[in-house]
Structure formats: structure tokens, C-alpha cells
Amino acid sequence: MNTEQFQRNNMYIETPEAYGDDGKNFDDDGRAKRTGTWVTASAHIITAVIGSGVLSLAWAIAQMGWVAGPVVLFAFSFITYFTSTLLADCYRSPDPVNGKRNYTYSQVVRSILGGRKFQLCGLAQYINLVGVTIGYTITASISMVAVKRSNCFHKHGHQDKCYTSNNPFMILFACIQIILSQIPNFHKLSWLSIVAAIMSFAYSSIGLGLSIAKVATGGEHVRTSLTGVQVGVDVTGSEKVWRTFQAIGDIAFAYAYSNVLIEIQDTLKSSPAENKVMKRASLIGILTTTLFYVLCGTLGYAAFGNDAPGNFLTGFGFYEPFWLIDFANVCIAIHLVGAYQVFCQPIFGFVEGWSKEKWSESKFVNVDYVVKLPLCGTYNLNFFRIVWRTTYVIITAIIAMLFPFFNDFLGLIGSLSFWPLTVYFPIEMYIKQTKMPKFSFTWTWLKILSWVCLIVSIISAAGSIQGLAQDLKKYQPFKATQ
């Protein structure tokens, strides 16, 4: 689709003629001038990365122990940053500074690799994005339930069962997302990402503080070891293997943001060059998240030992001080409200762009109605956008209510998306764009890295599937949480 067609089909694009100027308010592709900076890009990355994954890191470290756990964390951190720099150079092609813009991850793959790989990338990306939004719905409801249960324990004592259903809170979360999903596109999300990033720092810091306090006060003895949970004491031999695989998937999920990297980069202003700014934002985002991940994972393990819960903020013993736990879980819920939007906006944009091409004459799909909102200016009302986005949020909420498995779900999403989206496509595109000679030194070690990561993804997916199978055996739909 050329620029003129894109402008005609996309309801958010305004032409220079509409302004009566010489195009100074527009970028080289005819779109309104982008205003994003390394600050807003870093906020988007932190919002995308420090999500529900941080809550399961204490459990993941417990499965692997003091040695392998941190090593795996640092390994995923390095791989994610390295491949993100390769991907940032592919936003424009064939030249990373002056080439043609690609607006989405799938468009980058189509532009550089083309053919069947473009179709496989689209399938992997959008399955991952849908899975993440379902996972965030589950996690947000768990945090909301934790608030209610902590108040119940505080009022009635820990002997009370305090049975609570996740479903009303998933419905509440979905209602909030239905409203926020009417935000037109990624370019309007900066404020929400900044708020979400602040929330992620808040609840991570609270978790760290509570872990340090629990370790410092001593209390009940916790067991930790260099190799994690012990065979014959905590788990059987097969459980140890499966849990280790699943833990690797959880850590992979915790670093997942490649599937929205291009969409984030597309918000950056063109000077300085977008790839340089994106690399800087990625470095800041990954360093920040790795610091929090290592601290949350290791200190959470020190606090809970081999019995670390899947969500270390909802672990037994953290109900006091109950008000601080309440605040931390509210921060998680608010953060996930923003994170949900970061991951669902590419889905919305893809479906709406495809629909405009498919039904270019349909007023229901293409026509906007300008509505004046008090204190908010004007809003472009589009009936297709309202119906489609509302339907999407409702469907993800229903799936989350049917399959509310936290750790296994995160591990499966992470393992399925890590290799293709974070490793394979960035490496393949970098090799082709730089015209790297086959069997050269760099080509060889990049291929080895890709194959190693594929093996890691396969074994972590196997662990998550086994965990889901075990959960399904004892699962009763819509049953209240104990």
C-alpha cells in the first residue's frame, strides 16, 4: 500500500493539505509528525517488560537455585537486548537511517524477508499478543483478589478461609479496558505507559522491601540451596525437571517485548535517527528491568525459600502489614491496565487496517464522527472500532475466566514467542539486510545462538504444557480461590 492509499484508508492520518501548510507538521511518510523520545520509549518498554512476569521470578529462582537462576536471568537479559538492537536497525529498510519506514513487526518481516516468513511472523506475533492480554487479565484479577483477601484475613484472622472468586474482578478489569481500548492508537498511549511504569517501580520496590524485612527478621526457617528445590524433599525427580523447564519459560516471558518494539519505535521523532534512540531506550529499559528482576527474584527466594509462591506478593505471611500489600497489589492492577493496552494496540491496528482495505466502501468501517468531549477536546468516533475492540476485550476476559492458570500460562506464552519473535526473525533480518556472507564467523555464531534458543524454547514449552495438564486434572471452572 503506498502512502496515498494508507492516508486514505487510515482514519488517524491527516494530510498536509488539510492543514494548508507546506508539510512541516508531517513526517517523510505523510503521517503527522511523531513526537516520541527516548523517555517515552523507555516508559513503553518498562511498561511492557516489567509486567506480571516479575511476580513469578522468586518461584522460578526457587526451581533452579542460587547459581542457575541468576545466570538464566542475565542470559535472557543479554539476548533480549542484543536482538532488540538488531531489530531496531530494521525499522527502516533497506537502510536503517534513511530507508522506508515499517510500521509494525510484521511489515518489517514482509519488507526484508517476505513470503511465508511474513505469514509465520504475523501468526506468532498476534498469538503472543492475544496470549499476553489474557495473561494480564488473569494477573490483574489475582492482585485484586489479594487485596480483598488480605483485608478479610486482617478482619477475621488467618484461620478464616476467605474464599474469593477471581471472576468479578476479571469483569471489572475488562470494563476498564473496554473504555481505554477506545484510545485511537499507540501514539496516544504515552501518558498511560508513564503511569504504568511508575506503578511497576512502586510494587517491585514494595516487594523488595517486604522480602528484605522478612529475611532480616528471621522468623520461620526457610530452606534455600544452590540447586533450588530438592529431589526427594520438595519434589520428585520428574517434577524437578518439568518445573525447571517451566521456570525458564517464565523468565523468557518476563523479558518479552520484541513483539511491540517496532510499534514503539514508530512513535519516535525522526531526529536523531530512530534506531539510535531505540537502542538507547532498550538499554535503559533492559538494565532497569534486569536490576529489579534480579533483586525481586533473589530476595523473594531468600524470603520464601523452596516454598516460594507463584506470585510472591500474594504469598502467605505477606498479609501484614496488610495496607502495604493492598497498595502493592493496587499498583500491579493499575500497571497491568496500561500494559494490556501496550500489547493490544498492535492487534487493534492490524485488524482495523485489514478491514479498511477489505471493506473500503463501508461507512460502518471507515467513517468517523467528530464528537466534542468536555475538557478533552474532540474525539473521532468510529462504530467499527467500538464494536470490534469491545468484542475483543470481552472474549479475552471469558478465556481468562475459563483458564485462570497463572504460572503455566505465562511460561507457555514466553516459550512459544521467545525464539521466533525475540531471536529468529531479528537475526534473520539482520543477516539479510547487512548482506552477511554465509558461513562467515558472525553468521555462524548468530545461527548457533538461534538454534540454542530454539532448543530452550522447546523444552520450556514442554514444561509449561505439562504444568497445564496437571492443573486441568484438578480444575473446576469458576471455583472461588482459596
Side-chain angles (χ1 to χ4, degrees), residues 383-420:
F383 289 116
F384 174 74
R385 184 169 74 238
I386 291 174
V387 172
W388 142 243
R389 296 189 179 195
T390 300
T391 302
Y392 176 84
V393 173
I394 291 172
I395 290 173
T396 55
I398 291 173
I399 295 173
M401 285 188 279
L402 288 173
F403 303 103
F405 309 126
F406 178 66
N407 270 23
D408 299 324
F409 199 82
L410 297 191
L412 184 59
I413 295 170
S415 56
L416 290 178
S417 63
F418 171 71
W419 177 72

Side-chain angles (χ1 to χ4, degrees), residues 320-373:
E320 301 294 344
F322 80 101
W323 60 269
L324 188 59
I325 297 300
D326 286 355
F327 179 71
N329 281 296
V330 168
C331 288
I332 293 173
I334 294 174
H335 169 254
L336 293 178
V337 165
Y340 184 101
Q341 286 299 313
V342 169
F343 282 94
C344 72
Q345 283 291 340
I347 303 172
F348 294 157
F350 169 75
V351 171
E352 288 157 21
W354 178 83
S355 299
K356 288 171 197 172
E357 286 190 42
K358 183 74 173 177
W359 298 290
S360 57
E361 304 300 322
S362 170
K363 292 183 178 180
F364 175 73
V365 174
N366 293 283
V367 174
D368 281 10
Y369 300 91
V370 179
V371 178
K372 291 185 177 180
L373 300 176

